[in-house]
Amino acid sequence: MTHPLTAPLKAEIARREADLIALTQDLIRIPTLNPPGRNYRQICDYLAARLESSGFTCHLLRAEGAPGDSETYPRWNLVARRIGPRPGDCVHFNGHHDVVEVGHGWTRDPFGGELDGGRIYGRGACDMKGGIAASIIAAEAFLALCPDFAGTLEISATADEESGGFGGVAWLAQNGWFDNVQHVLIPEPLHKDRICLGHRGVWWAEVETRGRIAHGSMPFLGDSAIRHMGAVLEEIERTLYPLLAGKRTAMPVIPEGARQSTLNINSIHGGEPEPEPGYTGLPAPCVADRCRIILDRRFLIEEEVGEVKAEVTALLERVKATRPSFEYEVRDLFEVQPSMTDKGAPVVQATARAIASVLGAKAAYVVSPGTYDQKHIDRIGRLKNCIAYGPGVLDLAHQPDEWIGVQDMMDSAAVMGLVLAELLG
């Protein structure tokens, strides 16, 4: 059944198309690069001015003491709140304002916000400044049609999602900013007809092998940590990758390859440090006494993180049993439990009905292969009623010539506006 506000809301958003485009372009043109964390205050100030003109009370919040926060690169966040004339629930739109490095291969200005053929191009266009813009337009259109709504509408623009979210949503959750929130939508780029219920888990660890330094002409007097690491890598290929390939999940993870447990060897460093730029000499002849790899292990809701770690420890112990001088250390860097909201949750049901009403299609349910800020809302904020829903094609994130479709933003804004109409009465 089509919601009675569908047609008026779509018309209201259509009247705001030029505004939606300009807002998205303005956000792209503020290069909020992370690392190191540039222009965070600038984008928060811009959004605060915009939302205050729409009747929101805005709070500019610096995550002092959070990882990455410094006087040079302070971690600024914005929380905007508008309280309705009648009591009711609080619906919160959360979007991260930081973007990843530009990289190579662009054919357009990464911070130009160029509009071409119904697409807006630029770093962060789909991930996720287009989503932030769409949520703001959705909120403003809803308020124009339903000024006497029940409850509270919040919009946040937060820092550092691309580097873990600890200077953004995690800090807000730790400081109680989600304590009075009932529903959260995160407009990540997961296609306008999909509801993302959550994400897989992640464990990052550093594994170090140790040896003994010696002259490279007499390696028999030393003990190569790189050779030890080679044995570790061989054992990973021989036993761990086949083990992970056999682990499958009932979670609707996309793409299909992420329905299994995965491991990425993020980096490897051994022996002498890399020479400084411009150095033209040869390396010194030494046996490497240290070698390190970073493991990026993504795991399923059916797995326990203790089991995930034990698999690596068992692997290292097998190597040790065959190499008498083998020494190793494992250091935890980062871990996140899997998160998945129930399909019956109010925000899921409201969004599914809105997708059907706006797009005339049944919503698809997916789970993200990687984590996003739902992890902090779930684990720290203790709020399960949270999803990711927003415009954009996930595959474009972090790519050169990243773009967001204007029609996709307008359709997603209509869906988000209908969600507000249902949850805020």
Side-chain angles (χ1 to χ4, degrees):
M1 180 182 294
T2 301
H3 193 285
L5 270 180
T6 302
L9 193 56
K10 290 174 78 171
E12 185 69 28
I13 289 168
R15 284 193 288 272
R16 298 168 185 265
E17 179 178 356
D19 189 16
L20 174 60
I21 292 170
L23 175 57
T24 305
Q25 290 175 316
D26 284 350
L27 295 177
I28 292 169
R29 289 167 182 161
I30 302 173
T32 46
L33 286 163
N34 178 27
R38 300 185 189 279
N39 302 308
Y40 284 7
R41 181 60 187 256
Q42 182 182 346
I43 199 166
C44 287
D45 284 342
Y46 173 91
L47 288 170
R50 165 71 184 234
L51 291 166
E52 284 172 351
S53 70
S54 296
F56 286 81
T57 299
C58 292
H59 305 269
L60 287 164
L61 304 161
R62 178 180 167 184
E64 293 191 54
D69 179 69
S70 68
E71 291 304 315
T72 305
Y73 298 110
R75 266 41 195 173
W76 284 102
N77 301 276
L78 169 71
V79 177
R81 177 181 294 144
R82 179 157 167 176
I83 301 173
R86 295 181 290 124
D89 284 355
C90 176
V91 178
H92 185 112
F93 290 130
N94 164 250
H96 67 85
H97 57 57
D98 61 315
V99 302
V100 298
E101 65 172 311
V102 171
H104 301 283
W106 286 77
T107 64
R108 302 167 189 266
D109 180 353
F111 299 109
E114 178 186 349
L115 174 65
D116 183 19
R119 298 175 175 180
I120 303 173
Y121 290 85
R123 176 54 82 226
C126 84
D127 186 18
M128 60 180 295
K129 291 179 175 178
I132 292 173
S135 68
I136 290 172
I137 293 296
E140 292 174 343
F142 164 74
L143 292 170
L145 295 175
C146 306
D148 66 339
F149 69 98
T152 301
L153 172 55
E154 292 184 348
I155 300 173
S156 63
T158 51
D160 285 5
E161 189 276 342
E162 297 292 2
S163 55
F166 297 101
V169 170
W171 186 89
L172 292 179
Q174 288 163 352
N175 286 275
W177 285 89
F178 291 95
D179 288 357
N180 297 309
V181 176
Q182 283 74 46
H183 316 272
V184 178
L185 289 90
I186 304 175
E188 289 276 10
L190 285 147
H191 306 258
K192 63 186 178 184
D193 59 347
R194 295 175 174 177
I195 299 171
C196 184
L197 301 173
H199 51 72
R200 295 190 299 174
V202 57
W203 175 52
W204 279 50
E206 181 183 73
V207 177
E208 181 178 81
T209 55
R210 296 170 180 168
R212 186 174 67 255
I213 194 169
H215 198 289
S217 68
M218 297 173 286
F220 45 84
L221 297 179
D223 187 19
S224 173
I226 292 175
R227 289 186 63 188
H228 286 315
M229 188 62 77
V232 172
L233 295 174
E234 183 179 4
E235 186 68 9
I236 287 174
E237 292 287 346
R238 189 179 71 85
T239 64
L240 187 54
Y241 279 126
L243 175 67
L244 301 187
K247 296 188 178 192
R248 302 284 295 176
T249 184
M251 301 171 80
V253 186
I254 55 169
E256 179 63 27
R259 294 290 296 273
Q260 69 172 56
S261 297
T262 58
L263 172 69
N264 175 52
I265 299 171
N266 182 274
S267 61
I268 182 167
H269 301 278
E272 300 175 36
E274 289 291 316
E276 294 182 5
Y279 177 74
T280 59
L282 295 172
C286 293
V287 174
D289 64 355
R290 293 290 187 273
C291 188
R292 299 182 304 278
I293 59 172
I294 302 295
L295 302 181
D296 178 355
R297 171 76 160 84
R298 304 300 169 124
F299 61 98
L300 314 174
I301 205 165
E302 293 87 354
E303 298 179 272
E304 295 289 339
V305 69
E307 168 194 344
V308 168
K309 295 178 180 182
E311 290 167 352
V312 172
T313 301
L315 181 150
L316 292 165
E317 287 295 314
R318 288 195 299 271
V319 175
K320 185 175 183 177
T322 65
R323 301 178 73 86
S325 61
F326 182 80
E327 293 183 23
Y328 71 87
E329 182 179 354
V330 179
R331 289 185 284 272
D332 288 347
L333 300 178
F334 177 59
E335 69 181 67
V336 174
Q337 295 292 331
S339 178
M340 191 165 77
T341 300
D342 188 272
K343 287 184 182 179
V347 72
V348 177
Q349 292 293 301
T351 306
R353 285 189 285 271
I355 288 171
S357 192
V358 171
L359 302 177
K362 189 176 180 179
Y365 298 97
V366 299
V367 166
S368 173
T371 69
Y372 54 96
D373 278 334
Q374 182 169 338
K375 58 183 177 281
H376 300 310
I377 293 166
D378 179 357
R379 302 295 174 181
I380 304 173
R382 304 296 182 189
L383 179 58
K384 295 287 187 182
N385 192 33
C386 174
I387 59 168
Y389 171 78
V393 179
L394 182 61
D395 294 355
L396 297 173
H398 302 194
Q399 293 284 338
D401 289 345
E402 179 185 345
W403 57 269
I404 187 80
V406 173
Q407 188 61 52
D408 282 353
M409 286 195 293
M410 292 176 65
D411 288 341
S412 289
V415 169
M416 289 187 273
L418 281 185
V419 171
L420 293 176
E422 179 170 335
L423 296 177
L424 299 181

